[in-house]
Amino acid sequence: MKRILSGIKPTGKPHIGNYFGMMRPAIEWQDKGEAFYFIADYHALTTVFDPVKLREYSRGVALDFLACGLDPAKAVLFRQSDVPAHTELAWLLSCQTPMPMLENAHAYKDHLAKEKTPSHGLFAYPVLMAADILIYDSDVVPVGKDQKQHVEITRDLATKMNGIYGPIFKVPEASILPTVATIPGLDGQKMSKSYDNTIELFLEEKALKKKIMGIVTDSTPVEEPKDPATSSIVALYRFFVPETDVEKMEADFRAGGVGYGDFKKRLFGAIWEYFSSMRIKRAELAADPGYVDAVLKAGAERASSTANQVMERVRKAVGLRG
Ligand code: TYM
């Protein structure tokens, strides 16, 4: 049976990019193997410095994931920091990680390009991520395209360690669905918190409407034809409706006579409708104050049991035990 693993950082509320790129594929994988999904709170510490917020975001991400269909009876859901062996393995991997490998990592290079001073945590981020994956003997890692390089680093580190110590790690593969590899944001760039162009999954009706109506468009008058190929309204709409509705919107763009406000209203309606049953489920789950904590606690126990076995094998292999 395949072992599936993925993680999401609690740096805010999950958005539509997270949902289509990772959460939905991960939920589909829970029926196809043994799934482990975690809230990457150690990773979030590279950018979230407010302890109250970090706790709140972690619970919120768990609640959103459960509302979207993650079934804790099928998949193990846990907080990364509840399994501290992740950081122990990260150290062992660090000792075999060439600095240039990390100097080439996108996130680090972006940071330097913005003339910010990166922390050691940010620099070492891919090593911790490799540990997250390798400590569960994972076969498959469902992620969006922006995580591809991280999974490649993981594969390189696993192969290197296996070369030195014998076959201690499984070499995992990323699973990136081409249709949802990069979900666009409100401005057409990749949806990302750092670009401030996100649509969170469970916004209030008014807030969602405000975001959608605020999409910047060109000044083509209502009666004139518009280009559907360059519109972020169409680019987003296609994730929420059947192909025929997309074709209808594209045809209305080309025909002219319909204003952008109208198209935005259609997009708003489609998003609101898409998440409606999940929204109800989220409210139900949130009404039980102990539910999320209980799921995370049970998840941490199951995850620890697997992680500790792999860790013991690795400790022995490198000479720390026996
Ligand atoms: P994070 O929290 O940035 O994002 C979580 C997942 O959402 C995907 N994603 C997207 N997919 C498509 N289009 C987008 N616009 C978009 N934005 C985000 C990401 O690709 C990701 O799959 N480093 C990871 C967390 C992590 C992890 C791991 C993942 C830590 N350890 C081990 C897998 C395995 C991250 O920052 O994801």
Side-chain angles (χ1 to χ4, degrees):
M1 197 197 282
K2 277 202 178 352
R3 171 100 31 99
I4 304 114
L5 174 126
S6 198
I8 174 169
K9 259 184 324 202
T11 46
K13 294 181 180 172
H15 55 70
I16 282 167
N18 299 134
Y19 177 75
F20 287 108
M22 187 283 252
M23 297 163 77
R24 195 176 69 170
I27 290 164
E28 282 165 12
W29 273 106
Q30 74 187 359
D31 292 312
K32 298 182 205 152
E34 205 183 345
F36 288 79
Y37 302 134
F38 66 94
I39 321 291
D41 52 356
Y42 281 145
H43 278 111
L45 280 172
T46 56
T47 52
V48 180
F49 307 139
D50 177 335
V52 175
K53 282 231 158 71
L54 184 58
R55 264 181 227 114
E56 179 195 311
Y57 291 153
S58 294
R59 280 209 190 84
V61 170
L63 194 57
D64 282 10
F65 222 149
L66 291 161
C68 290
L70 186 146
D71 180 351
K74 292 179 181 166
V76 180
L77 179 66
F78 64 103
R79 228 179 339 226
Q80 185 185 27
S81 62
D82 284 337
V83 188
H86 287 225
T87 53
E88 183 183 353
L89 181 56
W91 175 252
L92 303 194
L93 297 176
S94 262
C95 296
Q96 296 302 337
T97 307
M99 298 270 287
M101 190 188 247
L102 300 180
E103 279 158 1
N104 273 326
H106 299 313
Y108 173 69
K109 286 209 288 202
D110 289 352
H111 221 78
L112 287 186
K114 286 183 198 148
E115 296 185 358
K116 293 192 211 157
T117 305
S119 64
H120 177 256
L122 187 113
F123 185 64
Y125 186 112
V127 184
L128 178 57
M129 185 156 157
D132 298 335
I133 298 171
L134 299 178
I135 205 164
Y136 294 98
D137 282 339
S138 312
D139 297 291
V140 184
V141 187
V143 282
K145 195 173 155 217
D146 60 357
Q147 298 300 316
K148 189 168 183 250
Q149 189 190 36
H150 287 149
V151 180
E152 277 161 9
I153 292 176
T154 304
R155 290 169 57 85
D156 289 349
L157 288 178
T159 308
K160 185 162 185 213
M161 292 289 280
N162 289 348
I164 300 169
Y165 298 110
I168 47 173
F169 291 123
K170 229 180 213 180
V171 182
E173 292 208 13
S175 164
I176 301 171
L177 302 177
T179 48
V180 290
T182 305
I183 305 295
L186 291 163
D187 56 359
Q189 294 188 81
K190 178 193 129 181
M191 186 175 288
S192 164
K193 279 164 217 144
S194 39
Y195 301 149
D196 195 21
N197 64 358
T198 57
I199 305 171
E200 290 73 26
L201 305 185
F202 297 111
L203 287 171
E204 298 286 331
E205 191 170 355
K206 235 175 138 180
L208 178 62
K209 209 173 258 172
K210 198 171 160 204
K211 279 214 168 186
I212 303 298
M213 299 316 281
I215 292 177
V216 177
T217 52
D218 59 32
S219 51
T220 316
V222 173
E223 56 283 359
E224 278 184 28
K226 300 166 188 71
D227 183 8
T230 55
S231 165
S232 48
I233 305 173
V234 182
L236 278 166
Y237 192 57
R238 60 177 73 258
F239 294 105
F240 299 97
V241 294
E243 186 54 31
T244 47
D245 291 11
V246 181
E247 283 163 11
K248 169 92 177 70
M249 186 182 270
E250 285 172 338
D252 290 345
F253 258 73
R254 287 192 204 99
V258 184
Y260 284 120
D262 220 297
F263 294 127
K264 289 179 189 174
K265 277 189 199 140
R266 283 190 221 174
L267 174 61
F268 162 76
I271 300 177
W272 185 254
E273 175 63 28
Y274 188 94
F275 289 107
S276 66
S277 60
M278 300 178 220
R279 197 175 300 117
I280 294 167
K281 188 160 174 207
R282 193 182 194 281
E284 282 167 11
L285 298 178
D288 178 349
Y291 179 72
V292 168
D293 287 342
V295 168
L296 292 175
K297 184 164 181 272
E301 279 163 21
R302 288 171 67 192
S304 298
S305 141
T306 301
N308 291 339
Q309 281 173 39
V310 175
M311 200 56 228
E312 197 47 33
R313 180 176 85 213
V314 178
R315 285 186 199 113
K316 279 198 187 119
V318 303
L320 295 175
R321 293 281 190 286

